[in-house]
Amino acid sequence: MNINELIQCYQSTFETTGLPRSFFAPGRINLIGEHTDYNGGHVFPASISYGTYAFVQKRDDQLIRFFSLNFPAIGIIECDLADLFFNPAHDWANYPKGMIKYIRENNLEISNGMDILFYGNIPNGAGLSSSASIEMVTGVLLEGLFDIPIDRIDMIKIGQKVENEYIGVNSGIMDQFAIGKGKKNHALLLNCQTLEYEYAPIQLERYVIIVINTNKKRTLVNSKYNERRAQCEKALQDLQTELLIQCLSDLSIEQFEHQKHLIQDDTNRKRAKHVVYENDRTLKTLLLLRQGNLKEFGRLMNESHLSLQNDFEVTGIELDTLLTAAWNQPGILGARMTGAGFGGCAIAIVEKSKIDSFRDNVNKIYTDKIGYEASFYTATIADGAREIHGGVL
Ligand code: GLA
């Protein structure tokens, strides 16, 4: 659907002839640096052209009405500006509600109700951060509509707080940061401890990034995610009995190898190993991209996946089948899962001229083994959350 069609949907849903303001926040991929953000490490994400649109008009009263074209059967969800508490019956609308609540608690003035329509074209449940995307599109919408002076980093932190405290998923800051600060044709290297970041141009020459969705129906992702996080915290506590460190990513590979015996539990030791080595790979990636050494970057991507498969254990048969198939194709530089794992998406860097054979071969191997197809998309790295002016994204 294009923006004009979405605006027409808005007008018929809310029975208005007024022209709503339009906003967009992308989804994200992560090139490398997985499960490092909540361990004080580095991540290397980029925002993509798929994302969430939001259309909004102020109301004269205190009512907020939400509608999503992705969940039309749920219908319009209503709440009052004075009652923004989490409500399970409000389903997906809890994400924007949480943003409105916490932005207000930051002493930023939101005095009217509003009618908001959302539409997301991020592949469903794919681990490309549809939740951070709806949080951040709500953030820019409130900023624009009420003209509130909100620093972008504060908005990003509020998005994470919604996820952690309002929704109850203990996620790190990567997704909201990538979406809030994304830049066309650039990935960003973020230090999740200090929030220092720098952009790195993504010039892939004759290659493109392909996003591959396993299409696995994901269950229990949040509880498994929280479990991984707890295991990392336990490993850190064990190390802190003798070492003065704040987080697992404070350790170099050499220090980790020297001190890993302090971690009591074998599983927790493997989790920590992944974090330390992955952080190292992520830092190396910036230099490799600057040098144009795509081949070595591809190799680090493969290594990253194997570490997530064997040490962090967040991949599963669907992602592993996809990746093994991908690595064996001509024209591939590297491939790995992206995001939290347990299904979701992988990314692959593939030579443009080989895209068709890559997709056909990988999909055949995947379908034969898993029983249903994977989906393939070419990722375009686009700007972060923003208002859309004049109907042009
Ligand atoms: C999810 C979380 C992020 C990050 C990744 C794994 O996307 O929301 O904070 O932890 O998983 O790297």
Side-chain angles (χ1 to χ4, degrees):
M1 259 193 271
N2 67 33
I3 295 192
N4 286 335
E5 287 166 336
L6 290 168
I7 290 177
Q8 277 168 22
C9 284
Y10 180 94
Q11 292 172 329
S12 59
T13 302
F14 293 116
E15 296 174 339
T16 168
T17 50
L19 192 63
R21 301 231 338 230
S22 317
F23 298 84
F24 177 77
R28 65 99 191 89
I29 52 173
N30 187 19
L31 297 182
I32 198 159
E34 218 65 83
H35 289 277
T36 44
D37 60 351
Y38 54 84
N39 287 301
H42 293 78
V43 293
F44 216 139
S47 47
I48 54 175
S49 57
Y50 294 99
T52 313
Y53 295 82
F55 301 87
V56 63
Q57 278 185 312
K58 262 188 211 171
R59 296 174 57 89
D60 295 331
D61 56 14
Q62 302 282 296
L63 185 66
I64 311 177
R65 296 196 293 169
F66 303 95
F67 183 79
S68 169
L69 287 170
N70 299 84
F71 304 100
I74 297 180
I76 293 178
I77 297 168
E78 292 188 358
C79 74
D80 194 277
L81 204 48
D83 176 10
L84 290 167
F85 293 101
F86 182 89
N87 180 345
H90 287 170
D91 202 79
W92 65 268
N94 281 303
Y95 290 93
K97 272 179 69 181
M99 279 307 280
I100 302 169
K101 182 172 194 299
Y102 290 157
I103 284 188
R104 286 190 99 201
E105 285 174 7
N106 262 33
N107 288 328
L108 295 163
E109 176 86 9
I110 297 171
S111 42
N112 298 63
M114 51 203 134
D115 290 332
I116 321 176
L117 177 135
F118 293 92
Y119 169 68
N121 59 8
I122 302 179
N124 219 349
L128 300 176
S129 281
S130 54
S131 63
S133 178
I134 191 170
E135 286 153 12
M136 296 310 291
V137 80
T138 308
V140 289
L141 167 164
L142 296 171
E143 177 187 41
L145 192 66
F146 295 97
D147 201 16
I148 49 179
I150 178 166
D151 177 71
R152 190 51 70 100
I153 304 287
D154 289 340
M155 191 194 291
I156 287 167
K157 288 182 181 163
I158 291 174
Q160 187 194 9
K161 186 173 165 193
V162 169
E163 205 75 55
N164 295 170
E165 294 175 23
Y166 197 86
I167 305 291
V169 183
N170 229 347
S171 53
I173 199 158
M174 170 171 74
D175 302 346
Q176 289 80 7
F177 209 100
I179 292 169
K181 287 295 232 176
K183 185 167 164 183
K184 191 173 178 183
N185 295 332
H186 289 73
L188 66 89
L189 178 73
L190 170 68
N191 178 333
C192 298
Q193 208 175 145
T194 61
L195 297 190
E196 282 165 335
Y197 64 98
E198 52 189 303
Y199 292 106
I202 299 298
Q203 284 152 344
L204 296 175
E205 299 152 24
R206 58 181 205 279
Y207 294 91
V208 282
I209 303 174
I210 305 286
V211 177
I212 318 167
N213 188 353
T214 59
N215 289 326
K216 179 187 179 187
K217 290 269 161 292
R218 298 205 288 172
T219 50
L220 294 177
V221 177
N222 296 347
S223 64
K224 288 185 202 156
Y225 183 93
N226 288 348
E227 179 193 273
R228 290 299 179 283
R229 193 163 175 161
Q231 290 167 331
C232 290
E233 273 158 20
K234 185 71 188 62
L236 175 64
Q237 279 165 17
D238 289 354
L239 290 163
Q240 284 171 329
T241 55
E242 292 199 16
L243 303 177
L244 271 175
I245 54 170
Q246 302 290 326
C247 53
L248 289 179
S249 300
D250 281 346
L251 291 175
S252 66
I253 289 180
E254 293 68 31
Q255 286 168 322
F256 173 76
E257 290 301 338
H258 200 62
Q259 307 287 357
K260 64 184 180 192
H261 62 275
L262 294 171
I263 305 173
Q264 301 295 313
D265 180 88
D266 291 346
T267 303
N268 295 349
R269 198 176 312 117
K270 286 202 309 186
R271 306 296 188 244
K273 177 181 173 207
H274 164 75
V275 172
V276 172
Y277 279 76
E278 180 78 352
N279 191 41
D280 185 71
R281 280 188 284 271
T282 309
L283 284 166
K284 280 184 183 142
T285 293
L286 181 70
L287 301 177
L288 292 172
L289 289 178
R290 291 229 163 108
Q291 294 160 357
N293 190 345
L294 293 177
K295 199 161 169 238
E296 180 60 10
F297 167 49
R299 200 188 63 76
L300 290 185
M301 289 176 78
N302 301 348
E303 229 178 70
S304 164
H305 185 86
L306 288 170
S307 173
L308 289 154
Q309 177 179 336
N310 300 322
D311 289 330
F312 217 69
E313 298 179 281
V314 290
T315 55
I317 178 133
E318 297 82 4
L319 278 167
D320 294 339
T321 303
L322 213 53
L323 271 297
T324 313
W327 290 330
N328 284 324
Q329 299 309 311
I332 180 122
L333 264 190
R336 56 183 291 280
M337 58 157 267
T338 193
F342 312 108
C345 282
I347 52 170
I349 306 207
V350 183
E351 212 176 302
K352 281 181 197 152
S353 61
K354 303 279 191 322
I355 295 176
D356 290 345
S357 62
F358 175 83
R359 188 189 48 229
D360 295 347
N361 296 346
V362 172
N363 201 25
K364 168 138 192 14
I365 297 169
Y366 185 78
T367 313
D368 286 350
K369 181 145 180 192
I370 303 297
Y372 52 84
E373 296 197 17
S375 311
F376 297 73
Y377 310 85
T378 303
T380 309
I381 300 186
D383 282 326
R386 62 200 183 273
E387 181 159 12
I388 306 168
H389 294 284
V392 183
L393 192 57

